[in-house]
Amino acid sequence: MDGRPLFLEPRLEPRLRSLVAATGTLHSLIDALGSPLHMVVPDQIAENLERFRSVYRAHHLSGQVFYAHKANRSSALLRRLAATDAGVDVASLGELQHALGAGFSADRIIATGPKNPEFLWLAARAGVTVGVDGVAELDQLGALVRKHALAPVRVLLRLSGFETSGVRVLSRRSRFGTPVRELEALLEAVERHGDAVEATGAAFHLDTTSVAEKATALEGCLAALEACRSRGLRPRAVDVGGGFGVSYLAEREQWEAYTTALTDAVLGRRPPLAWGGHGYGLRNESGTLRGALGLYPAHRPVAGAAYLDELLAQPAASLGGRPLAGLLLEHLYDLHTEPGRALLDQCGLTLAKVLEVREQENGTENGGELLVRLAAKADDIALEDHGVLMDPVVVPRSGAGPGEGPVAVHLFGSLCLETDLITRRTVFLPRRPVPGDLLAFANTAGYAMDFHATRAQHQPAARKVAAWQDGDGWRWCLDDQFWPITPSGGAQ
Ligand SMILES: *Cc1c(COP(=O)(O)O)cnc(C)c1O
């Protein structure tokens, strides 16, 4: 191993920390249900919701927190949320059916994303609010409501392409939503379908970490609501979408040391830090660093509910520099949010069993790291697909003492495919794992569990269990057996 180990230790809040430490429970679960295994912690999502609610309260704002269901298929998490006052944002027919079946009433559901006719019909029939992308979708919805003699449907108008002072386009292009410069045509369509739809507000969802970009979009929505009102429409909500983010790592210093070392490695100033010299978007063009780091900012000083707080405190440049929260309050507009990843922060982990640990035959080529093969496929632990770099925690088989360490390893999956690497990065572990140990990948509930999962090579997709604390111990059931009722479901 060259130089000091570069650890990227996960941020673990008390609940997840306690679960990772429940060594006996984790091993008996793997023995019973196989590797890999996803574990979700439903009580945490209720706690995360409360953090968003407290930001609403601090700004005296009303409105709904809609959990973006697409980030995890879990029934347990959804049902636990159904037992709160949260809403849910569904993006497919299956997700809508799942939400209705988990106990969400129609007034707590919004339907977003691309919609097929069946999805649109069930949404309209059930009376959920529909986030519409443009004129074509309004036409489709209007026709459907009339044809089936349904009650008028509430719609949120999804906008995009927000600009500041008409010069610099601050928000990135999106394939969803209507560009604000085409707002008039959209509002004409709303009026044309006045018997079939009721526009209740404006919405956006920007996949960016930039608060300034979102503040511009929020201002753009406020302006759009004014345009609605001047036509005699009665909108009452702004929906700022999701993208509040998660801070995955415990230590900022580790993240900075890692990214600095990665740059040095790409420039050849130190040995490679990833399989085959991969640079995560960075490359060396005759001694000059090129490209852009394609990674999630794994340590974020402000994320989740705190990010919403920061957004609401932003001054509205075009509206007298007053904080955005004040403007919402003044108009008595509801604020809707659609957090996916942020509501799932600390809500689960993925376990994988170590099958094999061996030295490399050609020790020099890749730095002499150990090769560690796991009973899991890369798509079962999709952190890397989302650019999240974070170390797993070693959960020893037997109360193994301090073994040899630290060690540098490469983590391989169980497919016979050269590319089945759990991560391309060289991972530093505090001690050498042995077959039978488990690796616990923390904080995988947002997008890293089942969004990318396949059944390649007839290998089963990972099972999922829900776990909750009971006194000093942990109890569990299969994810789809979980209902938020005692004694089986943990929640009171
Ligand atoms: C994916 C998505 C979200 C959730 O995004 P996160 O980054 O997980 O918070 C919210 N709204 C819409 C419309 C989405 O497509």
Side-chain angles (χ1 to χ4, degrees), residues 180-196:
V180 278
R181 63 184 142 70
E182 293 165 26
L183 179 65
E184 289 306 316
L186 186 66
L187 296 184
E188 276 159 26
V190 169
E191 287 176 339
R192 200 161 61 238
H193 296 295
D195 58 327

Side-chain angles (χ1 to χ4, degrees), residues 437-461:
D437 285 350
L438 303 179
L439 296 188
F441 294 83
N443 221 348
T444 49
Y447 299 104
M449 282 187 177
D450 48 38
F451 201 86
H452 304 270
T454 67
R455 291 177 202 274
Q457 276 186 229
H458 274 252
Q459 299 203 25

